[in-house]
Amino acid sequence: MADEALFLLLHNEMVSGVYKSAEQGEVENGRCITKLENMGFRVGQGLIERFTKDTARFKDELDIMKFICKDFWTAVFKKQIDNLRTNHQGIYVLQDNKFRLLTQMSAGKQYLEHASKYLAFTCGLIRGGLSNLGIKSIVTAEVSSMPACKFQVMIQKL
Amino acid sequence: MSRQANRGTESKKMSSELFTLTYGALVTQLCKDYENDEDVNKQLDKMGYNIGVRLIEDFLARSNVGRCHDFRETADVIAKVAFKMYLGITPSITNWSPAGDEFSLILENNPLVDFVELPDNHSSLIYSNLLCGVLRGALEMIRKLRYTANT
């Protein structure tokens, strides 16, 4: 049973580690975000496998998204997603008003420009989880005022 | 009632697996970035150190452990309180040096290596090296506190 504090610290170390070994510039920033997102992807894939081993089959896409918002989010971040919106055409917006990975950073607009670094891993986590449930997607995140943030999931129809 | 209890232990298991899987992804990425195992070990140690210097504050705030009077007490606290609190395991303390300033911690089932298999071409990789860094960072912080208290 690993403690939450450990994961928080490890995650922050990973972000700073990835950025330390990169140089300045837009391209490098993009590469770092990609690296973090890919790590999150692998973890998401593994986690969702472990977690849905014994659950019933999902009825449809919305059911899967609700699972992500409730059970998956609770297991990973100890709380549920506060608000799920969808246009019923493959776009979902998950709103977390007190995102665990941002609460220690600031309560407002300070450090806003760095927030995306700390969201990349979680975007990958969602994408990886969905991928192993058979859904291909693109996940992005946006923050306007910490610690609230929104994750936008775009389902890719094959 | 029992269903709620199940949920509790399940979510604890999940957070442990989250940490294990994240650590695995990290080591995999480091192996890709650095060509040789020695560099990966060093990087893991450095990251562990940074985590350790912060973790010690969290530990002291939550554990209510008083000052340790000697190194043996410190070893006990590390194995029985700290490891239990953060990783849910209690390693055994063995191999004390004659001077009493060195000991070994043996982890019977290390949660970091669940689901992990090292391929043959990474034989000199110390997979759990992050833990060494964490211990180093945490203890260095306490030693520093000791110094300032004495002067």
Side-chain angles (χ1 to χ4, degrees):
Chain A
M1 182 228 86
D3 199 70
E4 195 190 359
L6 259 185
F7 173 70
L8 276 172
L9 287 171
L10 179 66
H11 176 262
N12 291 350
E13 254 324 291
M14 275 165 53
V15 175
S16 57
V18 165
Y19 274 84
K20 225 181 287 187
S21 54
E23 298 110 31
Q24 293 290 352
E26 264 310 307
V27 178
E28 275 306 318
N29 188 33
R31 262 197 218 125
C32 294
I33 302 261
T34 309
K35 257 195 221 171
L36 289 164
E37 213 256 358
N38 284 337
M39 284 199 256
F41 184 77
R42 294 178 59 112
V43 178
Q45 283 183 312
L47 270 184
I48 207 84
E49 268 179 26
R50 307 286 303 163
F51 201 47
T52 56
K53 222 169 17 143
D54 300 315
T55 53
R57 264 182 77 163
F58 294 109
K59 292 192 290 268
D60 56 17
E61 200 174 86
L62 186 58
D63 213 29
I64 295 182
M65 290 312 296
K66 283 199 207 153
F67 175 81
I68 300 271
C69 294
K70 291 208 259 208
D71 302 298
F72 188 70
W73 217 254
T74 308
V76 176
F77 299 112
K78 308 286 188 303
K79 65 182 284 291
Q80 296 188 1
I81 284 280
D82 296 303
N83 195 339
L84 170 67
R85 302 215 306 273
T86 173
N87 65 355
H88 292 291
Q89 278 168 12
I91 299 196
Y92 298 85
V93 178
L94 288 70
Q95 185 165 338
D96 191 332
N97 290 329
K98 215 170 160 207
F99 188 49
R100 267 301 202 290
L101 300 182
L102 293 179
T103 47
Q104 308 291 335
M105 204 176 300
S106 100
K109 309 260 187 220
Q110 199 185 20
Y111 301 126
L112 202 58
E113 65 275 15
H114 297 287
S116 57
K117 303 178 191 167
Y118 292 87
L119 297 170
F121 183 84
T122 310
C123 289
L125 205 71
I126 302 174
R127 190 168 67 90
L130 289 174
S131 152
N132 265 15
L133 289 174
I135 297 185
K136 197 152 177 260
S137 60
I138 296 182
V139 184
T140 53
E142 65 175 74
V143 188
S144 49
S145 172
M146 304 216 233
C149 65
K150 292 199 191 131
F151 294 94
Q152 192 183 51
V153 180
M154 283 180 277
I155 311 284
Q156 314 271 279
K157 292 279 189 270
L158 296 156
Chain B
M1 260 309 198
S2 69
R3 207 152 159 251
Q4 277 212 350
N6 264 344
R7 278 278 181 80
T9 48
E10 239 194 75
S11 76
K12 273 201 188 147
K13 206 169 59 109
M14 284 306 302
S15 73
S16 135
E17 298 189 347
L18 170 67
F19 184 73
T20 304
L21 289 170
T22 307
Y23 187 64
L26 170 67
V27 178
T28 310
Q29 185 66 39
L30 286 177
C31 289
K32 268 194 223 139
D33 289 342
Y34 298 96
E35 256 104 54
N36 59 44
D37 291 346
E38 261 318 301
D39 284 341
V40 179
N41 291 341
K42 259 193 244 148
Q43 190 65 11
L44 284 175
D45 185 74
K46 241 194 277 176
M47 293 176 93
Y49 180 82
N50 291 336
I51 293 180
V53 307
R54 295 180 178 95
L55 198 67
I56 187 68
E57 284 182 23
D58 182 79
F59 175 68
L60 290 174
R62 281 162 55 180
S63 69
N64 266 332
V65 168
R67 288 264 302 265
C68 288
H69 294 103
D70 59 17
F71 201 43
R72 279 185 188 262
E73 240 190 276
T74 310
D76 267 341
V77 169
I78 294 177
K80 298 191 185 131
V81 189
F83 265 90
K84 190 90 207 261
M85 185 188 285
Y86 290 111
L87 289 174
I89 53 169
T90 310
S92 41
I93 306 173
T94 60
N95 226 4
W96 276 103
S97 70
D101 58 0
E102 240 182 76
F103 65 92
S104 298
L105 281 167
I106 315 280
L107 284 71
E108 294 297 309
N109 32 337
N110 181 357
L112 289 182
V113 306
D114 283 341
F115 327 129
V116 174
E117 240 179 58
L118 280 186
D120 296 324
N121 55 333
H122 286 288
S123 49
S124 55
L125 178 68
I126 310 175
Y127 187 80
S128 307
N129 212 24
L130 190 96
L131 291 179
C132 299
V134 173
L135 286 168
R136 189 166 64 90
L139 289 173
E140 232 180 77
M141 285 283 105
I142 317 186
R143 211 161 48 97
K144 284 198 178 124
L145 288 175
R146 267 238 194 123
Y147 270 28
T148 47
N150 278 339
T151 50

Coordinates of all heavy atoms in Angstrom, one line a residue, chain B residues 12-83:
Chain B
K12 N -6.9 1.3 -1.7 CA -5.5 1.3 -1.1 C -4.6 0.5 -2.1 O -3.5 0.9 -2.4 CB -5.4 0.7 0.3 CG -5.7 1.7 1.4 CD -5.2 1.2 2.7 CE -5.7 2.1 3.8 NZ -5.9 1.4 5.0
K13 N -5.1 -0.6 -2.5 CA -4.3 -1.4 -3.4 C -4.0 -0.7 -4.7 O -3.0 -0.7 -5.2 CB -5.1 -2.7 -3.7 CG -4.2 -3.9 -4.1 CD -5.0 -5.2 -4.1 CE -6.1 -5.1 -5.1 NZ -5.9 -6.0 -6.3
M14 N -5.1 0.1 -5.2 CA -4.9 0.8 -6.4 C -3.8 1.9 -6.3 O -3.1 2.1 -7.2 CB -6.2 1.5 -6.8 CG -7.3 0.6 -7.3 SD -6.7 -0.3 -8.7 CE -6.2 1.0 -9.8
S15 N -3.8 2.6 -5.1 CA -2.8 3.6 -5.1 C -1.4 3.0 -5.0 O -0.5 3.6 -5.5 CB -3.1 4.6 -3.9 OG -2.8 3.9 -2.7
S16 N -1.3 1.8 -4.5 CA 0.0 1.2 -4.4 C 0.4 0.8 -5.9 O 1.5 0.9 -6.3 CB 0.0 0.0 -3.5 OG 0.6 -1.1 -4.1
E17 N -0.6 0.3 -6.6 CA -0.3 -0.1 -8.0 C 0.0 1.1 -8.8 O 0.8 1.1 -9.7 CB -1.5 -0.9 -8.5 CG -1.6 -2.2 -7.7 CD -2.6 -3.2 -8.4 OE1 -3.3 -2.7 -9.3 OE2 -2.6 -4.3 -7.9
L18 N -0.7 2.2 -8.5 CA -0.4 3.4 -9.3 C 1.1 3.8 -9.1 O 1.8 4.1 -10.1 CB -1.3 4.6 -8.8 CG -1.0 6.0 -9.3 CD1 -1.2 6.1 -10.7 CD2 -1.8 7.0 -8.5
F19 N 1.5 3.8 -7.9 CA 2.9 4.1 -7.6 C 3.9 3.1 -8.3 O 4.9 3.5 -8.9 CB 3.2 4.1 -6.1 CG 4.6 4.6 -5.8 CD1 4.9 5.9 -5.9 CD2 5.6 3.7 -5.3 CE1 6.2 6.4 -5.6 CE2 6.8 4.1 -5.0 CZ 7.2 5.5 -5.2
T20 N 3.6 1.9 -8.2 CA 4.4 0.8 -8.8 C 4.5 1.0 -10.3 O 5.6 1.0 -10.9 CB 3.9 -0.6 -8.5 OG1 3.8 -0.7 -7.1 CG2 4.8 -1.6 -9.1
L21 N 3.3 1.2 -10.9 CA 3.3 1.3 -12.4 C 4.0 2.6 -12.8 O 4.7 2.6 -13.8 CB 1.9 1.3 -12.9 CG 1.2 0.0 -12.8 CD1 -0.3 0.1 -13.1 CD2 1.8 -1.0 -13.8
T22 N 3.8 3.7 -12.1 CA 4.4 5.0 -12.4 C 5.9 4.8 -12.3 O 6.7 5.3 -13.2 CB 3.9 6.1 -11.5 OG1 2.5 6.1 -11.5 CG2 4.5 7.4 -11.9
Y23 N 6.4 4.2 -11.3 CA 7.8 4.0 -11.1 C 8.4 3.2 -12.3 O 9.4 3.5 -12.8 CB 8.1 3.3 -9.8 CG 9.6 3.2 -9.5 CD1 10.3 4.4 -9.3 CD2 10.3 2.0 -9.4 CE1 11.7 4.3 -9.0 CE2 11.6 1.9 -9.2 CZ 12.3 3.1 -8.9 OH 13.7 3.0 -8.7
G24 N 7.6 2.1 -12.7 CA 8.1 1.3 -13.8 C 8.2 2.1 -15.1 O 9.2 2.0 -15.8
A25 N 7.2 3.0 -15.3 CA 7.2 3.8 -16.5 C 8.4 4.8 -16.5 O 9.1 5.0 -17.5 CB 5.9 4.6 -16.7
L26 N 8.7 5.3 -15.3 CA 9.8 6.2 -15.1 C 11.1 5.5 -15.4 O 12.0 6.0 -16.2 CB 9.9 6.7 -13.7 CG 11.1 7.5 -13.3 CD1 11.2 8.8 -14.1 CD2 11.2 7.8 -11.8
V27 N 11.3 4.3 -14.9 CA 12.6 3.6 -15.1 C 12.7 3.2 -16.6 O 13.8 3.4 -17.2 CB 12.7 2.3 -14.2 CG1 14.0 1.6 -14.5 CG2 12.7 2.7 -12.8
T28 N 11.6 2.8 -17.2 CA 11.7 2.5 -18.6 C 12.1 3.7 -19.4 O 12.9 3.6 -20.3 CB 10.3 2.1 -19.1 OG1 9.8 1.1 -18.2 CG2 10.3 1.5 -20.5
Q29 N 11.5 4.9 -19.1 CA 11.9 6.1 -19.8 C 13.3 6.5 -19.6 O 14.0 6.8 -20.5 CB 11.0 7.3 -19.3 CG 11.1 8.5 -20.1 CD 10.7 8.4 -21.5 OE1 9.7 7.8 -21.9 NE2 11.5 9.0 -22.5
L30 N 13.8 6.3 -18.4 CA 15.2 6.6 -18.1 C 16.1 5.7 -18.9 O 17.2 6.1 -19.4 CB 15.5 6.5 -16.6 CG 14.9 7.6 -15.7 CD1 15.2 7.4 -14.3 CD2 15.5 9.0 -16.1
C31 N 15.8 4.4 -18.9 CA 16.6 3.5 -19.7 C 16.7 3.9 -21.2 O 17.7 3.7 -21.8 CB 16.1 2.1 -19.6 SG 16.4 1.4 -17.9
K32 N 15.6 4.5 -21.7 CA 15.6 4.9 -23.0 C 16.5 6.1 -23.2 O 17.2 6.3 -24.2 CB 14.2 5.2 -23.5 CG 13.4 4.1 -24.1 CD 12.2 4.6 -24.9 CE 11.0 3.7 -24.6 NZ 9.8 4.3 -24.4
D33 N 16.4 7.0 -22.2 CA 17.1 8.3 -22.3 C 18.6 8.2 -22.1 O 19.4 8.8 -22.8 CB 16.6 9.3 -21.3 CG 15.2 9.8 -21.7 OD1 14.8 9.6 -22.8 OD2 14.5 10.3 -20.8
Y34 N 19.0 7.4 -21.1 CA 20.4 7.2 -20.9 C 20.9 5.8 -21.4 O 20.2 4.8 -21.2 CB 20.7 7.2 -19.4 CG 20.3 8.6 -18.7 CD1 19.1 8.8 -18.1 CD2 21.2 9.6 -18.8 CE1 18.8 10.0 -17.6 CE2 20.9 10.8 -18.2 CZ 19.6 11.0 -17.6 OH 19.3 12.2 -17.0
E35 N 22.0 5.8 -22.0 CA 22.4 4.6 -22.7 C 22.8 3.5 -21.7 O 22.5 2.3 -21.9 CB 23.6 4.7 -23.7 CG 23.1 4.7 -25.1 CD 23.0 6.1 -25.7 OE1 24.1 6.8 -25.6 OE2 22.0 6.5 -26.1
N36 N 23.6 3.9 -20.6 CA 24.1 2.8 -19.8 C 23.4 2.8 -18.4 O 22.8 3.8 -18.0 CB 25.6 2.9 -19.6 CG 26.0 4.2 -19.0 OD1 25.4 4.7 -18.0 ND2 27.0 4.8 -19.6
D37 N 23.4 1.6 -17.8 CA 22.7 1.4 -16.5 C 23.3 2.3 -15.4 O 22.5 2.7 -14.5 CB 22.8 0.0 -16.1 CG 22.0 -0.9 -17.0 OD1 21.2 -0.4 -17.8 OD2 22.2 -2.2 -17.0
E38 N 24.6 2.6 -15.4 CA 25.2 3.4 -14.4 C 24.5 4.8 -14.3 O 24.2 5.3 -13.2 CB 26.7 3.6 -14.6 CG 27.5 2.6 -13.8 CD 27.0 2.5 -12.4 OE1 26.9 3.5 -11.7 OE2 26.7 1.3 -12.0
D39 N 24.3 5.4 -15.5 CA 23.7 6.7 -15.5 C 22.2 6.6 -15.0 O 21.8 7.5 -14.3 CB 23.7 7.3 -16.9 CG 25.0 7.7 -17.3 OD1 25.9 8.0 -16.4 OD2 25.3 7.9 -18.5
V40 N 21.5 5.6 -15.3 CA 20.2 5.4 -14.8 C 20.2 5.3 -13.3 O 19.4 6.0 -12.6 CB 19.5 4.2 -15.5 CG1 18.1 4.1 -14.9 CG2 19.5 4.3 -17.0
N41 N 21.1 4.5 -12.8 CA 21.2 4.4 -11.3 C 21.4 5.7 -10.7 O 20.8 6.1 -9.7 CB 22.3 3.4 -11.0 CG 22.0 2.0 -11.4 OD1 20.9 1.6 -11.6 ND2 23.1 1.2 -11.5
K42 N 22.4 6.5 -11.3 CA 22.7 7.8 -10.7 C 21.5 8.7 -10.7 O 21.2 9.4 -9.7 CB 23.8 8.5 -11.5 CG 25.2 8.3 -10.8 CD 26.2 9.2 -11.5 CE 27.3 8.4 -12.1 NZ 27.9 8.8 -13.3
Q43 N 20.8 8.7 -11.8 CA 19.6 9.6 -12.0 C 18.5 9.2 -11.0 O 17.9 10.0 -10.3 CB 19.1 9.5 -13.4 CG 18.0 10.5 -13.8 CD 18.5 11.9 -13.7 OE1 19.7 12.1 -13.6 NE2 17.6 12.8 -13.8
L44 N 18.3 7.9 -10.8 CA 17.3 7.4 -9.8 C 17.7 7.8 -8.4 O 16.9 8.3 -7.6 CB 17.2 5.9 -9.9 CG 16.4 5.3 -11.0 CD1 16.5 3.8 -11.0 CD2 15.0 5.7 -11.0
D45 N 19.0 7.8 -8.1 CA 19.5 8.2 -6.8 C 19.2 9.7 -6.6 O 18.8 10.1 -5.5 CB 20.9 7.8 -6.7 CG 21.4 8.1 -5.3 OD1 21.1 7.3 -4.4 OD2 22.1 9.1 -5.0
K46 N 19.5 10.4 -7.6 CA 19.3 11.9 -7.5 C 17.8 12.2 -7.3 O 17.5 13.0 -6.4 CB 19.8 12.6 -8.8 CG 20.9 13.6 -8.6 CD 21.1 14.4 -9.8 CE 22.0 13.7 -10.8 NZ 22.1 14.6 -12.0
M47 N 17.0 11.6 -8.1 CA 15.5 11.9 -7.9 C 15.1 11.4 -6.5 O 14.3 12.1 -5.9 CB 14.8 11.1 -9.0 CG 15.0 11.6 -10.4 SD 14.2 10.7 -11.6 CE 12.7 11.6 -11.8
G48 N 15.6 10.3 -6.1 CA 15.2 9.8 -4.8 C 15.6 10.8 -3.7 O 14.9 11.0 -2.8
Y49 N 16.8 11.3 -3.9 CA 17.3 12.3 -2.9 C 16.3 13.5 -2.8 O 16.0 13.9 -1.7 CB 18.7 12.8 -3.3 CG 19.3 13.8 -2.4 CD1 19.9 13.4 -1.2 CD2 19.2 15.2 -2.6 CE1 20.5 14.3 -0.3 CE2 19.7 16.1 -1.8 CZ 20.4 15.7 -0.6 OH 20.9 16.6 0.2
N50 N 15.9 14.0 -4.0 CA 15.0 15.2 -3.9 C 13.7 14.8 -3.3 O 13.1 15.6 -2.6 CB 14.7 15.7 -5.4 CG 16.0 16.3 -6.0 OD1 16.8 16.8 -5.2 ND2 16.1 16.3 -7.3
I51 N 13.2 13.6 -3.5 CA 12.0 13.2 -2.9 C 12.2 13.0 -1.4 O 11.3 13.4 -0.6 CB 11.5 11.8 -3.5 CG1 11.1 12.0 -5.0 CG2 10.3 11.3 -2.7 CD1 10.6 10.7 -5.6
G52 N 13.3 12.4 -1.0 CA 13.6 12.2 0.4 C 13.6 13.5 1.2 O 13.1 13.5 2.3
V53 N 14.2 14.5 0.7 CA 14.3 15.8 1.5 C 12.9 16.4 1.8 O 12.7 17.1 2.7 CB 15.3 16.8 0.9 CG1 16.6 16.2 0.6 CG2 14.7 17.5 -0.3
R54 N 12.0 16.1 0.9 CA 10.6 16.6 1.1 C 9.8 15.6 1.9 O 9.0 15.9 2.7 CB 9.9 16.8 -0.2 CG 10.6 17.9 -1.0 CD 9.9 18.2 -2.3 NE 10.6 19.3 -2.9 CZ 11.5 19.2 -3.8 NH1 11.9 18.0 -4.2 NH2 12.1 20.3 -4.3
L55 N 10.1 14.3 1.7 CA 9.3 13.3 2.3 C 9.5 13.3 3.8 O 8.6 13.0 4.6 CB 9.7 11.9 1.8 CG 8.7 10.8 2.1 CD1 7.4 11.0 1.3 CD2 9.3 9.4 1.7
I56 N 10.7 13.6 4.3 CA 11.0 13.6 5.7 C 10.1 14.6 6.5 O 9.6 14.3 7.6 CB 12.5 13.9 6.0 CG1 12.8 13.7 7.5 CG2 12.9 15.3 5.5 CD1 12.8 12.3 7.9
E57 N 9.8 15.7 5.9 CA 8.9 16.7 6.5 C 7.5 16.1 6.7 O 6.9 16.2 7.7 CB 8.8 18.0 5.7 CG 10.0 18.8 5.8 CD 9.9 20.1 5.0 OE1 8.7 20.5 4.7 OE2 10.9 20.7 4.7
D58 N 7.0 15.4 5.6 CA 5.7 14.8 5.7 C 5.7 13.7 6.7 O 4.8 13.6 7.5 CB 5.4 14.2 4.3 CG 4.0 13.5 4.2 OD1 3.0 14.3 4.1 OD2 4.0 12.3 4.3
F59 N 6.8 13.0 6.8 CA 6.9 11.9 7.8 C 6.9 12.4 9.2 O 6.1 12.0 10.1 CB 8.2 11.1 7.5 CG 8.4 10.0 8.6 CD1 7.6 8.9 8.7 CD2 9.4 10.1 9.5 CE1 7.8 7.9 9.6 CE2 9.6 9.2 10.5 CZ 8.8 8.1 10.5
L60 N 7.7 13.4 9.5 CA 7.8 14.0 10.8 C 6.4 14.6 11.2 O 6.0 14.5 12.4 CB 8.9 15.0 10.9 CG 10.3 14.5 10.8 CD1 11.3 15.6 10.8 CD2 10.6 13.5 12.0
A61 N 5.7 15.2 10.3 CA 4.5 15.8 10.6 C 3.4 14.8 10.9 O 2.6 15.0 11.8 CB 4.0 16.7 9.4
R62 N 3.5 13.6 10.3 CA 2.4 12.7 10.4 C 2.7 11.6 11.4 O 1.8 10.9 11.9 CB 2.1 12.0 9.1 CG 1.2 12.9 8.2 CD 1.3 12.5 6.8 NE 0.9 11.1 6.7 CZ 0.9 10.5 5.5 NH1 1.2 11.1 4.4 NH2 0.6 9.2 5.4
S63 N 4.0 11.3 11.8 CA 4.2 10.1 12.5 C 4.4 10.4 14.0 O 4.4 9.5 14.8 CB 5.5 9.5 12.0 OG 6.6 10.3 12.3
N64 N 4.6 11.6 14.5 CA 4.7 11.9 15.9 C 5.9 11.1 16.6 O 5.8 10.8 17.7 CB 3.4 11.5 16.6 CG 2.5 12.6 16.7 OD1 3.0 13.8 16.8 ND2 1.2 12.4 16.8
V65 N 6.9 10.8 15.8 CA 8.0 10.1 16.4 C 8.9 11.2 17.0 O 9.2 12.2 16.4 CB 8.8 9.3 15.3 CG1 10.1 8.9 15.7 CG2 7.9 8.2 14.8
G66 N 9.5 10.9 18.2 CA 10.3 11.8 18.8 C 11.8 11.7 18.3 O 12.0 11.0 17.4
R67 N 12.7 12.4 19.0 CA 14.1 12.3 18.6 C 14.6 10.9 18.8 O 14.2 10.2 19.8 CB 14.9 13.3 19.5 CG 14.7 14.7 19.2 CD 15.8 15.3 18.3 NE 17.1 15.1 18.7 CZ 17.8 16.1 19.4 NH1 17.2 17.2 19.7 NH2 19.1 15.9 19.7
C68 N 15.4 10.5 17.9 CA 16.0 9.1 18.1 C 17.3 9.3 18.8 O 18.1 10.2 18.5 CB 16.3 8.5 16.7 SG 14.9 8.0 15.9
H69 N 17.6 8.5 19.8 CA 18.7 8.7 20.7 C 20.0 8.1 20.1 O 21.1 8.6 20.4 CB 18.5 8.2 22.1 CG 17.4 8.9 22.8 ND1 16.2 8.5 22.9 CD2 17.4 10.2 23.3 CE1 15.4 9.4 23.6 NE2 16.2 10.4 23.8
D70 N 19.8 7.1 19.3 CA 21.0 6.5 18.7 C 20.7 6.0 17.3 O 19.5 5.9 16.9 CB 21.7 5.5 19.6 CG 20.8 4.3 19.8 OD1 19.7 4.2 19.1 OD2 21.0 3.6 20.8
F71 N 21.7 5.5 16.6 CA 21.4 5.0 15.3 C 20.5 3.8 15.2 O 19.8 3.6 14.3 CB 22.8 4.7 14.6 CG 22.8 4.7 13.1 CD1 22.0 5.7 12.4 CD2 23.4 3.8 12.4 CE1 22.0 5.7 11.0 CE2 23.4 3.8 11.0 CZ 22.6 4.7 10.3
R72 N 20.6 3.0 16.2 CA 19.8 1.7 16.2 C 18.3 2.1 16.3 O 17.5 1.5 15.6 CB 20.1 0.9 17.4 CG 21.3 0.0 17.1 CD 21.7 -0.9 18.2 NE 23.0 -1.5 17.9 CZ 23.1 -2.7 17.3 NH1 22.0 -3.4 17.0 NH2 24.3 -3.2 17.0
E73 N 18.0 3.2 17.1 CA 16.6 3.6 17.1 C 16.2 4.2 15.8 O 15.1 3.9 15.3 CB 16.5 4.8 18.1 CG 15.6 4.5 19.3 CD 15.3 5.7 20.1 OE1 16.1 5.9 21.0 OE2 14.3 6.4 19.9
T74 N 17.1 4.9 15.1 CA 16.8 5.4 13.8 C 16.5 4.3 12.8 O 15.5 4.4 12.1 CB 18.0 6.2 13.2 OG1 18.5 7.1 14.2 CG2 17.6 6.9 12.0
A75 N 17.3 3.2 12.9 CA 17.0 2.1 12.0 C 15.6 1.5 12.2 O 14.9 1.2 11.3 CB 18.1 1.0 12.2
D76 N 15.3 1.4 13.5 CA 14.0 0.8 13.9 C 12.9 1.7 13.3 O 11.9 1.2 12.8 CB 13.9 0.8 15.4 CG 14.3 -0.6 16.0 OD1 14.3 -1.5 15.2 OD2 14.6 -0.6 17.2
V77 N 13.0 3.0 13.5 CA 11.9 3.9 13.1 C 11.8 3.8 11.5 O 10.7 3.8 11.0 CB 12.2 5.3 13.5 CG1 11.3 6.3 12.8 CG2 12.1 5.5 15.0
I78 N 12.9 3.7 10.8 CA 12.9 3.7 9.4 C 12.1 2.4 9.0 O 11.2 2.4 8.1 CB 14.3 3.6 8.8 CG1 15.0 4.9 9.0 CG2 14.2 3.4 7.3 CD1 16.5 4.9 8.5
A79 N 12.5 1.3 9.6 CA 11.9 0.0 9.1 C 10.5 -0.1 9.6 O 9.6 -0.5 8.8 CB 12.8 -1.2 9.6
K80 N 10.2 0.2 10.8 CA 8.9 -0.2 11.4 C 7.9 0.9 11.2 O 6.7 0.6 11.1 CB 9.0 -0.5 12.8 CG 9.9 -1.7 13.0 CD 9.8 -2.3 14.4 CE 10.8 -3.4 14.6 NZ 11.7 -3.3 15.7
V81 N 8.3 2.2 11.1 CA 7.3 3.3 11.0 C 7.3 3.8 9.5 O 6.2 3.8 8.9 CB 7.6 4.4 12.0 CG1 6.5 5.4 12.0 CG2 7.8 3.9 13.4
A82 N 8.4 4.2 9.1 CA 8.4 4.9 7.8 C 8.1 4.0 6.6 O 7.2 4.3 5.8 CB 9.8 5.5 7.5
F83 N 8.7 2.8 6.5 CA 8.4 1.9 5.4 C 7.0 1.5 5.5 O 6.3 1.3 4.5 CB 9.4 0.7 5.4 CG 10.6 0.9 4.5 CD1 11.7 1.5 5.0 CD2 10.5 0.5 3.2 CE1 12.8 1.7 4.2 CE2 11.5 0.7 2.3 CZ 12.7 1.3 2.8

